Amino acid sequence: MCKFKRSTSEATLYTRSDSEGDLIIVSIYVDDIVYTGSSERMLNEFKREMMQRYEMSDLGLLHHFLGMGILQTDQGVFIHQSKYAKSLLMKFGLEDCKPVSIPLPTGERLKKVDGSELADEGLYRKIVGSLLYLTATRPDLMYAASLLSRFMTSPTKKHMGVARRVLRYVQGTLSYGIEYVRNQSATLVGFCDADWAGSEDDSRSTSGYAFSFGSGAFSWASVKQNTVALSTAEAEYVSASEATAQTIWLRFVLDDFGEMQSEATPLFCDNMSAISMAKNPVFHQRTRHINRRYHFIREALQEGVINMQFCRSEEQLADIFTKALPKDRFKYLRSKLGVKPVSSLGEAVENEATY
């Protein structure tokens, strides 16, 4: 319809280009449509065509979408879920709670059986589910929400206490969101990391990755690995493989946007052994037992899809997705991901925002 091309990588994404090289991008979620483009003429044509076929309302410049708030300034775009976060605290009776500076105590490791009594399972699931939705614009909450989600069955009072602590962190960061700055280099960059044997229950490691496209993280994850890693290098190797899979998909989507990545995507890892394992095409004693599905990272390297590079642990952004960090370290990585309060954008923007 309307000469749009549907993305083969993302079912909700449609694009259309003209002979002059201008592009319009449309994203659909049920009956909500968000569109943008490089040509005012194409945008007006699309709006007119849609209104001729359907009963539609033009809400103007995007301010809200799926519970997210969007502030557009001359410097860039700021997305947040402040209104949702505030309603979350009210829902669980914590609107007047005392805030904390970090979501988890440093080095916090939870386990299924911790000696405390069982908590209200229904309430716990509601809290964790709500926190997971909040991670759409809050990567600083990703590890805490992911960790808590491992105990959805038979949670204990300690688990509940940690979940409430995370809500207290939300209380102190209600106005936080992610800023994407204009006129930055349109280059996809990734970071991947792992916490070896971080799970107290099954000794499995936690993988984390983050991707940026000029400024501000726009894709991130924190997941427990499916197998037990025998070493830190193996855990990092598996994490890099998972990040590579995400890299390939992101490159496909960017290609649909007209932002094809002609160069290999830099993927930063802070473990030289894992990088050497990925670049060595020969299976040896350290890698032959690893599930074959993770070895496609080598093919991605050889084809120039990714370029694994070493970064110092101090600059590893994905570290925030693998473990509970000290306050100073947590805040530093949070800022590097582009997470900041709306007040940092200026008083005029702060007054414009409705929470």
Side-chain angles (χ1 to χ4, degrees):
M1 187 190 72
C2 300
K3 299 180 181 179
F4 273 88
K5 178 183 177 182
R6 183 177 181 177
S7 170
T8 57
S9 305
E10 177 53 58
T12 65
L13 180 66
Y14 296 81
T15 58
R16 183 173 72 186
S17 57
D18 63 10
S19 57
E20 298 177 3
D22 288 320
L23 177 73
I24 182 172
I25 302 168
V26 179
S27 181
I28 301 176
Y29 183 82
V30 190
D31 59 349
D32 291 323
I33 298 178
V34 175
Y35 60 97
T36 186
S38 58
S39 167
E40 191 72 27
R41 174 185 55 81
M42 292 183 69
L43 294 175
N44 291 330
E45 284 180 4
F46 170 73
K47 183 166 61 175
R48 184 171 60 252
E49 291 170 352
M50 294 300 290
M51 287 185 168
Q52 289 174 351
R53 288 174 167 81
Y54 309 102
E55 293 184 11
M56 300 186 66
S57 299
D58 180 14
L59 301 179
L61 193 66
L62 184 64
H63 293 290
H64 300 281
F65 186 65
L66 301 180
M68 291 184 287
I70 297 92
L71 300 175
Q72 302 189 44
T73 69
D74 293 337
Q75 289 72 40
V77 177
F78 183 82
I79 64 172
H80 64 95
Q81 291 171 281
S82 299
K83 186 175 180 180
Y84 173 76
K86 191 171 183 178
S87 67
L88 190 62
L89 295 174
M90 294 180 65
K91 178 180 179 181
F92 298 114
L94 292 171
E95 64 270 25
D96 297 320
C97 67
K98 183 179 180 181
V100 293
S101 57
I102 53 176
L104 297 173
T106 304
E108 178 70 82
R109 291 193 176 190
L110 301 177
K111 54 185 178 181
K112 291 183 179 179
V113 180
D114 53 26
S116 62
E117 299 177 5
L118 294 179
D120 185 334
E121 187 171 304
L123 177 60
Y124 181 83
R125 289 183 174 183
K126 289 179 181 178
I127 293 176
V128 176
S130 299
L131 287 172
L132 285 170
Y133 184 69
L134 191 55
T135 62
T137 60
R138 295 290 301 274
D140 52 323
L141 291 169
M142 189 70 250
Y143 174 69
S146 176
L147 177 64
L148 291 170
S149 68
R150 301 175 188 177
F151 309 101
M152 292 295 217
T153 302
S154 301
T156 66
K157 289 190 174 180
K158 182 176 180 179
H159 300 148
M160 181 67 80
V162 174
R164 289 182 177 275
R165 178 194 168 93
V166 177
L167 289 175
R168 290 174 59 198
Y169 169 73
V170 172
Q171 169 76 303
T173 55
L174 281 174
S175 68
Y176 279 56
I178 303 180
E179 182 184 20
Y180 300 100
V181 182
R182 298 182 189 275
N183 302 321
Q184 300 294 308
S185 173
T187 302
L188 181 65
V189 177
F191 292 82
C192 63
D193 194 26
D195 177 37
W196 181 45
S199 173
E200 292 285 334
D201 294 305
D202 52 18
S203 296
R204 294 184 182 180
S205 307
T206 300
S207 294
Y209 62 70
F211 290 89
S212 66
F213 190 65
S215 71
F218 74 98
S219 176
W220 54 82
S222 175
V223 294
K224 187 164 72 168
Q225 295 180 3
N226 293 324
T227 58
V228 177
L230 301 183
S231 65
T232 300
E234 183 178 330
E236 298 272 3
Y237 182 79
V238 171
S239 174
S241 178
E242 294 168 344
T244 299
Q246 184 71 359
T247 302
I248 294 172
W249 178 74
L250 290 175
R251 287 170 66 96
F252 286 153
V253 175
L254 288 172
D255 192 13
D256 291 332
F257 286 169
E259 293 288 351
M260 185 180 71
Q261 301 293 288
S262 56
E263 301 293 331
T265 298
L267 185 60
F268 290 97
C269 175
D270 60 5
N271 188 285
M272 284 300 299
S273 295
I275 295 174
S276 299
M277 288 165 60
K279 293 184 176 181
N280 185 356
V282 179
F283 291 95
H284 49 76
Q285 189 171 1
R286 296 183 63 185
T287 59
R288 62 188 180 189
H289 65 283
I290 299 176
N291 194 310
R292 294 177 184 175
R293 65 190 296 263
Y294 299 117
H295 290 305
F296 83 101
I297 186 176
R298 296 176 174 177
E299 183 176 316
L301 277 164
Q302 292 169 5
E303 294 181 352
V305 175
I306 65 167
N307 177 21
M308 283 195 70
Q309 299 181 27
F310 176 77
C311 71
R312 296 184 303 119
S313 296
E314 293 77 14
E315 299 301 322
Q316 177 54 267
L317 270 61
D319 195 30
I320 198 173
F321 302 115
T322 63
K323 62 179 74 70
L325 300 172
K327 181 171 65 175
D328 292 344
R329 172 78 171 152
F330 178 85
K331 290 185 175 182
Y332 172 74
L333 293 180
R334 182 179 67 184
S335 67
K336 296 290 285 185
L337 291 170
V339 178
K340 58 182 63 177
V342 68
S343 58
S344 65
L345 305 182
E347 185 177 351
V349 175
E350 184 177 9
N351 293 336
E352 178 187 341
T354 302
Y355 300 120

